[in-house]
Amino acid sequence: MKKLYLIRHAKSSWVNNNLEDFERPLNNRGKISADFMGKKLAKSGIKPDSIISSPAKRTQRTSERIAQKVSYPNIDIHYYSELYLGDVKDYLSVINDVSDEHECIFIVGHNPGITVFLDYLCGEFADMVTCAIAEIEFDLNSWAEVSQKTGMLKSFSYPKKYDEFKALLNG
């Protein structure tokens, strides 16, 4: 049994209009969201064997903040350029190449690709809002076997789903 957590990056900053899209950092709410969702994963006892991320600044920072909360070393995060603006083919290529020694992986990416990939894997639509996390199980022995509708969506969450997150934002 393989388990995948698809994670969309947290909210990014639009303060500096001169920055390229790739260079946009997280805004304050994004930092709070990534920390909050990382703590939720940690409280549930979820620890990945591998974290894979787009190299864009906002996905890097989201990955790093979540990794810290689940006690995963930042230096072990793997960055794949094809996940930046990636489509289903790109996401699938990355996941199909994951070592089978890994049972649980996190992939941190962008919309619309990550939402479309979730639908491709599970045949279920869920809008991957910022910092949303989709937990997907595969009754497979190899990541190379992952393909269309081979996954089962087990859970879907996002920061605004939780009253305690709303309270954090309101101080």
Side-chain angles (χ1 to χ4, degrees):
M1 175 96 39
K2 302 292 185 191
K3 190 171 280 198
L4 168 67
Y5 290 83
L6 287 180
I7 304 169
R8 182 173 172 208
H9 66 78
K11 201 141 203 71
S12 60
S13 174
W14 290 86
V15 171
N16 185 345
N17 290 330
N18 295 323
L19 283 179
E20 295 290 325
D21 178 71
F22 190 85
E23 295 298 324
R24 281 190 292 120
L26 295 179
N27 67 14
N28 192 51
R29 184 173 135 202
K31 293 173 187 174
I32 294 168
S33 297
D35 290 346
F36 179 83
M37 294 304 284
K39 286 177 188 173
K40 284 282 184 197
L41 290 166
K43 282 182 185 175
S44 296
I46 298 163
K47 183 163 181 179
D49 298 314
S50 182
I51 296 179
I52 300 167
S53 176
S54 156
K57 186 169 277 187
R58 61 193 178 275
T59 47
Q60 281 187 27
R61 298 303 174 258
T62 301
S63 298
E64 290 166 356
R65 294 182 91 88
I66 289 175
Q68 190 236 349
K69 299 301 179 193
V70 298
S71 301
Y72 183 90
N74 283 352
I75 59 167
D76 290 342
I77 298 171
H78 303 279
Y79 297 100
Y80 287 83
S81 60
E82 54 265 58
L83 294 179
Y84 177 67
L85 305 179
D87 59 16
V88 166
K89 178 180 61 87
D90 297 316
Y91 278 86
L92 189 60
S93 174
V94 168
I95 199 168
N96 286 159
D97 284 341
V98 170
S99 171
D100 290 331
E101 70 183 336
H102 301 310
E103 294 297 317
C104 177
I105 62 171
F106 290 5
I107 293 183
V108 185
H110 308 264
N111 257 349
I114 203 161
T115 294
V116 174
F117 189 53
L118 171 61
D119 184 41
Y120 172 85
L121 292 175
C122 303
E124 293 187 49
F125 177 81
D127 187 12
M128 293 290 289
V129 297
T130 53
C131 218
I133 301 176
E135 174 191 9
I136 304 166
E137 283 187 354
F138 300 92
D139 190 16
L140 304 169
N141 295 317
S142 175
W143 292 107
E145 298 174 27
V146 170
S147 62
Q148 189 170 20
K149 295 184 181 175
T150 57
M152 177 183 285
L153 183 61
K154 298 302 283 182
S155 69
F156 180 76
S157 61
Y158 50 92
K160 283 189 173 180
K161 180 178 179 178
Y162 300 97
D163 288 336
E164 61 262 39
F165 175 75
K166 294 174 191 170
L168 273 175
L169 291 182
N170 295 328

